[in-house]
Amino acid sequence: MMPARPLSLITGASSGIGAAFARQLAALGHDLVLTARRVDRLQALATELHERHATQATVLPHDLAALAAPQVLCDELERRGLQVDWLINNAGYGVPGTFVANDWTTHAHFLQVLLAAPTELAWRLLPGMRQRGHGRVINVASLAGHVPGPAGHTLYAASKAYLIKWSQSLALENHTAGVNVCALCPGFTWSEFHDVTGTRDKMNRLPGFMWLSAEEVVRQGIAAVERGDAVYIPGRVNRTIKTLVQLLPDRLALWLSARESKRYRNT
C-alpha cells in the first residue's frame, strides 16, 4: 500500500524534466529526495516546493559519474530512514561529436551516468518497493532509442535503447509485486539539454510542433507509469515518427537518419 506521503527520488533534479518531475510530484503530495551536481539549484527548488506544497525535500547532491555515487546515495537514504517509493532515473546529457573525437574518460563518465547509475539505483531500491508491495520506477529514455542511431552523440541513442529494453524486462518482473516500471521516451523537449551540447541554434530551426514542454512530458509520464505502461512516448508527433520508422526498410531508415541528423547534430 502506498504511504500517505510517498517519497520520490529524482536524479538530475536541478533543471528541465527532473525539476518538472519534482514540481508535479510535490503537487501530488509526495516528499522528495533531490539529487544532481548543482547544489544551489537543488536548494532553491527544495525551498520553493516546501513553501508551495509543504513538501519535505531532502537535498543530496551527487555526481553520478562517480562509480561509488549510487551506493553512497542509497547508504545516505538508509541512514536517514528514508524509504523510496518512486525512483525517477532522469539524470543525463549528450556528448557532441563523433565517437573517436572524444577521449575515453568522457565516454566512461557518460556510460556511468546514463547506464550504470540508473541500473544500480534500481537494483538497490527495488527490493524495498517489492517488500512494501508498492513502487514506481520511471526511466527517462528517449524517442532516440526507437529510431536509427545518428552520427554524432554516438552513445546517446544506444543508451536510451538500453533503458527501453531494460524497463520492459523490469516491468514484467515486478508488476505482480505492485511495482510499475516505465521507460518514458520524449522527443524534442524544451530544456537546457541543447544549450549544454552546443546545438541550440540548430535545434531552433525545427518547427514548433515537434516540441513538447518538460511539464507536458512529465504529466504524461506520471499517467503512463500509473497505468502500468512499460514504454510510453509522449506526443502524437513522436509516436507517429516511431511508427513510420518501424515500417521503413532498415536501409532507408538509416539513410533518412543520416540526412536529418546533419541538421541538428554536431559531428
Side-chain angles (χ1 to χ4, degrees):
M1 180 181 298
M2 182 162 55
R5 291 192 65 86
L7 180 66
S8 294
L9 168 61
I10 305 170
T11 70
S14 60
S15 65
I17 290 175
F21 264 114
R23 291 186 173 99
Q24 292 192 33
L25 290 172
L28 291 173
H30 289 222
D31 289 329
L32 305 172
V33 175
L34 307 175
T35 189
R37 293 177 300 171
R38 294 179 288 191
V39 182
D40 55 339
R41 290 201 179 190
L42 293 178
Q43 291 175 336
L45 181 60
T47 299
E48 170 197 331
L49 298 179
H50 179 70
E51 292 175 352
R52 182 174 299 178
H53 303 292
T55 297
Q56 296 300 315
T58 303
V59 172
L60 297 178
H62 283 282
D63 182 357
L64 292 179
L67 294 178
Q71 180 176 352
V72 171
L73 175 56
C74 291
D75 287 347
E76 288 185 58
L77 294 173
E78 185 174 357
R79 282 196 298 270
R80 293 168 181 253
L82 298 174
Q83 296 181 332
V84 172
D85 302 292
W86 284 54
L87 169 61
I88 312 296
N89 277 318
N90 166 74
Y93 59 97
V95 176
T98 62
F99 185 58
V100 297
N102 291 283
D103 60 40
W104 178 246
T105 299
T106 297
H107 291 317
H109 287 169
F110 177 90
L111 293 171
Q112 175 64 26
V113 173
L114 272 289
L115 298 181
T119 305
E120 183 175 351
L121 286 173
W123 180 79
R124 292 184 179 280
L125 296 174
L126 271 170
M129 296 181 190
R130 291 175 57 89
Q131 184 177 22
R132 295 188 296 273
H134 187 277
R136 300 288 183 262
V137 178
I138 298 179
N139 296 313
V140 180
S142 172
L143 178 63
H146 291 285
V147 301
H153 295 265
T154 318
L155 297 177
Y156 188 79
S159 70
K160 297 304 186 179
Y162 166 86
L163 290 178
I164 293 166
K165 295 299 183 182
W166 172 57
S167 297
Q168 289 173 325
S169 296
L170 284 185
L172 291 173
E173 291 176 0
N174 290 282
H175 76 281
T176 57
V179 179
N180 293 354
V181 180
C182 179
L184 177 61
C185 304
F188 297 117
T189 305
W190 295 112
S191 69
E192 296 179 356
F193 180 91
H194 302 291
D195 300 304
V196 174
T197 60
T199 55
R200 173 59 61 196
D201 290 342
K202 291 184 178 182
M203 300 309 300
N204 285 342
R205 301 171 193 168
L206 293 171
F209 68 82
M210 295 189 68
W211 294 84
L212 288 178
S213 68
E215 291 73 22
E216 181 60 20
V217 167
V218 168
R219 185 189 67 79
Q220 294 189 35
I222 292 174
V225 76
E226 289 285 46
R227 286 194 305 268
D229 294 348
V231 180
Y232 183 76
I233 302 173
R236 185 175 301 172
V237 171
N238 295 324
R239 291 192 289 271
T240 300
I241 290 171
K242 185 247 187 181
T243 300
L244 291 175
V245 167
Q246 287 183 321
L247 295 174
L248 293 174
D250 288 347
R251 181 174 295 182
L252 177 56
L254 194 60
W255 176 81
L256 286 171
S257 175
R259 188 188 72 173
E260 293 302 312
S261 67
K262 292 178 182 178
R263 300 182 182 184
Y264 56 89
R265 298 289 188 192
N266 284 340
T267 59

